[in-house]
Amino acid sequence: MNFDIRMAHLFSSLDDNQVRQVMESSHISTFQDGESLFETGDEANRFFLVIGGQVKLFRVSSNGDQKIIDIIQPGNTFAEALMFMEHPIYPVCAEALGPAKIISFDCKRFLQILSQSFSVCFRIMGTMSQRLRGLIKEIDDLTLQSATTRMCAMLLRRMEEIGKSHFTLPAAKGVLAARLSMKPETFSRILQNLSSKNILNTKGNEIQVIDTELLRSLAHLESVLGLEPEVHCTLSGAKSLHSD
Amino acid sequence: MNFDIRMAHLFSSLDDNQVRQVMESSHISTFQDGESLFETGDEANRFFLVIGGQVKLFRVSSNGDQKIIDIIQPGNTFAEALMFMEHPIYPVCAEALGPAKIISFDCKRFLQILSQSFSVCFRIMGTMSQRLRGLIKEIDDLTLQSATTRMCAMLLRRMEEIGKSHFTLPAAKGVLAARLSMKPETFSRILQNLSSKNILNTKGNEIQVIDTELLRSLAHLESVLGLEPEVHCTLSGAKSLHSD
DNA sequence: TTTGGGCCTTGATTTTCATCAAATGGCGAA
DNA sequence: TTCGCCATTTGATGAAAATCAAGGCCCAAA
């Protein structure tokens, strides 16, 4: 059960003594699939570190749709930014995606430690700064890009993460669809479409990328645009299935 | 020319001596309408405080469209979060919206000051935390909401900011459209539509809100839903113009 | 083995918004 | 004043993705 929290970026510059202090106010818990950690609007007096499984952060619209903001992987913290607000309120819901093991920390306690160490402060600011950047990227993905583009970018990211052209999708298709802000039907159709263009093969949750270059050019239209004039931009709707 | 930078939240807890240090590395500049402060990808070694006019932060898509991430008002800082990254690169473009007066600060220098004062650190973290929150809100606006919803939310925000039901739009319509991630044509049509429903009157950039409740219910569908069964959700396309 | 229930796929249709193209209107400069 | 330029409006059309509605698939429990 001894997990060194210094594996997480956020804690990486704590000394042994500080780690001990932080751990004093921590709880380890396990969550079932779908179990809630907190909801939008709850008072935020703890933050979290995922040490096993996954946690999805999402918001719910009035009609019940979920928009998944992020899927937190083991070794990562979340909700730590709220610590610095006057009236900390979680802006999202969090729930376990599959069984998950999570450590939670008391915000006040952690702030005390922060006020002893500039290097930890700076590290936190670095983390927050990266998140900001990520969200900005996300916003322009959402507005500037089509569903197909988002799909391709996600596949590429995953592919480069794994390092092989054959890989497994990191979550159920429905979940990924929500992450990419599209309906499961659309997700399915786009995958189907990419497959019919011989850009990739798919079997269940397994993906085999065939034409990486084309995938890349679809992911960020700016770069290779024009390499494949037949296909470049207009690959998208189900209607173009028979177009070549 | 003596502007107390402590008016900005970020600097508010600096003492006189620290202010002096910060100012040593600062430059005041004026910018013409449309003049660029920096571009996406530029090395980020300065951050900024707007003391007059407005600055728009935006990203550009491959086809030349602009997505406006934020419009910075006087008294506010921006790009300060980049300071904490290893290879600081501006993730957005910034340009003056109308003539603007801006102070820029050297990041390195400010970091030195930071490492003297926890309260300034905490304040920055607070600022960043708020921005994070804002961006998350933005993401769900973009994904969960329709163009009409975004428009209504913007109008309401503006109305409550001014405190009167009669107000002027805070920028040119085209700019606002980009801010709300829609085309000027769409912006125009939605406004026209709201007007035809007697929710508001519009003349140039002047808006007179008539039915605040209805506007509110359109802005966040969850609340008053059902108050006006005829209209509640389906007010949107230009086609429904003649629907009642 | 059969059954049932998620999840995913597929097809048909509709909605929303972008795009294209053409007025309209205001406003400053000549 | 008139001209020309720009932002905005308006109309017609198209494309992307949501929605609605079945159907298929896989797996786990009976």
Side-chain angles (χ1 to χ4, degrees):
Chain A
M1 245 0 111
N2 271 337
F3 179 91
D4 189 351
I5 59 173
R6 272 172 293 202
M7 279 180 53
H9 186 69
L10 182 62
F11 300 111
S12 57
S13 57
L14 295 182
D15 61 34
D16 288 354
N17 186 37
Q18 289 169 327
V19 168
R20 208 171 308 120
Q21 287 180 61
V22 172
M23 290 309 287
E24 273 169 21
S25 71
S26 74
H27 291 306
I28 297 197
S29 345
T30 57
F31 291 85
Q32 303 302 316
D33 178 45
E35 200 175 341
S36 170
L37 281 77
F38 54 76
E39 314 245 323
T40 304
D42 286 357
E43 201 183 327
N45 34 38
R46 302 188 77 77
F47 69 96
F48 304 86
L49 168 63
V50 179
I51 57 178
Q54 297 174 320
V55 172
K56 77 170 172 188
L57 305 183
F58 62 99
R59 292 177 68 102
V60 180
S61 76
S62 43
N63 56 39
D65 277 6
Q66 288 187 2
K67 162 57 190 161
I68 298 183
I69 306 286
D70 208 353
I71 297 177
I72 311 293
Q73 304 293 336
N76 291 297
T77 52
F78 62 97
E80 75 279 6
L82 280 318
M83 241 179 326
F84 308 100
M85 306 211 55
E86 331 70 82
H87 299 299
I89 296 280
Y90 296 116
V92 296
C93 301
E95 96 184 19
L97 207 57
K101 182 170 285 189
I102 287 147
I103 312 187
S104 73
F105 302 90
D106 185 69
C107 290
K108 285 226 178 57
R109 193 54 173 281
F110 190 70
L111 282 176
Q112 288 169 4
I113 292 166
L114 269 195
S115 56
Q116 301 163 11
S117 160
F118 280 108
S119 70
V120 180
C121 280
F122 279 34
R123 206 163 277 276
I124 288 206
M125 292 190 246
T127 304
M128 288 170 73
S129 167
Q130 277 175 337
R131 285 228 168 131
L132 277 172
R133 204 184 233 292
L135 289 176
I136 288 176
K137 179 74 174 60
E138 182 91 19
I139 287 179
D140 81 30
D141 279 359
L142 287 173
T143 56
L144 267 26
Q145 319 280 15
S146 70
T148 300
T149 308
R150 274 176 270 145
M151 166 76 88
C152 294
M154 183 274 287
L155 291 174
L156 267 178
R157 226 176 299 129
R158 179 71 182 165
M159 195 178 114
E160 280 161 9
E161 192 181 318
I162 302 290
K164 287 185 264 181
S165 67
H166 178 269
F167 56 89
T168 307
L169 291 174
K173 291 181 180 178
V175 172
L176 290 177
R179 178 79 238 281
L180 298 174
S181 294
M182 63 182 80
K183 297 289 147 184
E185 294 95 322
T186 306
F187 187 96
S188 178
R189 277 188 251 266
I190 291 174
L191 215 48
Q192 162 60 27
N193 197 346
L194 291 173
S195 170
S196 80
K197 300 280 184 192
N198 285 320
I199 293 172
L200 49 76
N201 284 330
T202 145
K203 182 171 185 205
N205 272 22
E206 305 290 312
I207 303 283
Q208 168 74 55
V209 175
I210 300 168
D211 191 336
T212 309
E213 273 324 298
L214 200 40
L215 188 65
R216 197 182 306 280
S217 77
L218 287 168
H220 38 281
L221 305 176
E222 66 237 347
S223 61
V224 203
L225 196 92
L227 225 177
E228 266 284 8
E230 303 274 28
V231 191
H232 59 52
C233 275
T234 49
L235 176 107
S236 43
K239 282 146 196 167
S240 57
L241 241 164
H242 317 286
S243 63
D244 55 355
Chain B
M1 245 358 112
N2 272 337
F3 179 91
D4 190 352
I5 59 172
R6 273 172 293 204
M7 278 181 52
H9 183 71
L10 182 63
F11 300 110
S12 57
S13 57
L14 296 182
D15 61 34
D16 288 353
N17 187 37
Q18 289 169 327
V19 168
R20 208 170 309 122
Q21 288 180 59
V22 173
M23 290 310 287
E24 273 169 22
S25 70
S26 74
H27 291 306
I28 298 197
S29 346
T30 56
F31 292 84
Q32 303 303 316
D33 178 45
E35 200 176 341
S36 170
L37 281 77
F38 54 76
E39 314 246 323
T40 304
D42 286 358
E43 200 182 329
N45 35 38
R46 301 188 76 79
F47 68 96
F48 304 85
L49 168 64
V50 180
I51 58 179
Q54 296 175 322
V55 171
K56 77 171 171 187
L57 305 183
F58 61 98
R59 290 178 69 101
V60 180
S61 75
S62 42
N63 57 40
D65 277 7
Q66 288 188 1
K67 161 58 189 160
I68 299 183
I69 306 285
D70 208 351
I71 298 177
I72 310 293
Q73 303 293 337
N76 291 297
T77 52
F78 63 96
E80 73 280 5
L82 279 319
M83 241 179 326
F84 308 100
M85 306 212 56
E86 331 69 81
H87 300 298
I89 296 281
Y90 297 115
V92 297
C93 302
E95 95 184 20
L97 208 56
K101 183 170 286 189
I102 287 146
I103 313 187
S104 72
F105 303 91
D106 184 71
C107 288
K108 284 226 179 59
R109 195 51 174 283
F110 190 70
L111 282 175
Q112 288 169 3
I113 291 165
L114 267 195
S115 57
Q116 301 163 9
S117 159
F118 280 109
S119 71
V120 180
C121 280
F122 280 27
R123 208 161 275 277
I124 289 207
M125 293 191 243
T127 305
M128 287 170 72
S129 167
Q130 278 174 337
R131 285 229 165 129
L132 277 172
R133 206 186 231 292
L135 289 176
I136 288 175
K137 179 77 174 59
E138 183 88 21
I139 287 179
D140 82 31
D141 278 0
L142 288 173
T143 55
L144 267 24
Q145 319 279 16
S146 70
T148 302
T149 309
R150 272 175 273 146
M151 167 77 87
C152 293
M154 182 274 288
L155 291 172
L156 266 178
R157 224 176 301 129
R158 179 72 183 165
M159 195 179 114
E160 280 161 8
E161 191 182 317
I162 302 291
K164 286 186 265 183
S165 66
H166 178 268
F167 56 89
T168 307
L169 291 174
K173 292 181 180 177
V175 173
L176 290 178
R179 178 80 237 282
L180 298 174
S181 294
M182 62 182 80
K183 297 289 145 182
E185 295 95 320
T186 306
F187 187 96
S188 176
R189 279 187 250 266
I190 291 175
L191 215 48
Q192 163 59 25
N193 196 346
L194 290 172
S195 171
S196 79
K197 300 281 185 191
N198 285 320
I199 293 172
L200 49 77
N201 284 330
T202 145
K203 183 172 185 206
N205 273 23
E206 305 290 311
I207 302 284
Q208 169 74 55
V209 174
I210 299 167
D211 191 335
T212 309
E213 273 324 299
L214 201 40
L215 189 65
R216 198 182 306 279
S217 76
L218 286 167
H220 40 281
L221 305 175
E222 66 237 350
S223 62
V224 203
L225 196 92
L227 224 179
E228 266 285 9
E230 303 275 25
V231 192
H232 59 55
C233 274
T234 49
L235 175 107
S236 45
K239 282 146 196 169
S240 57
L241 241 163
H242 317 285
S243 63
D244 54 355

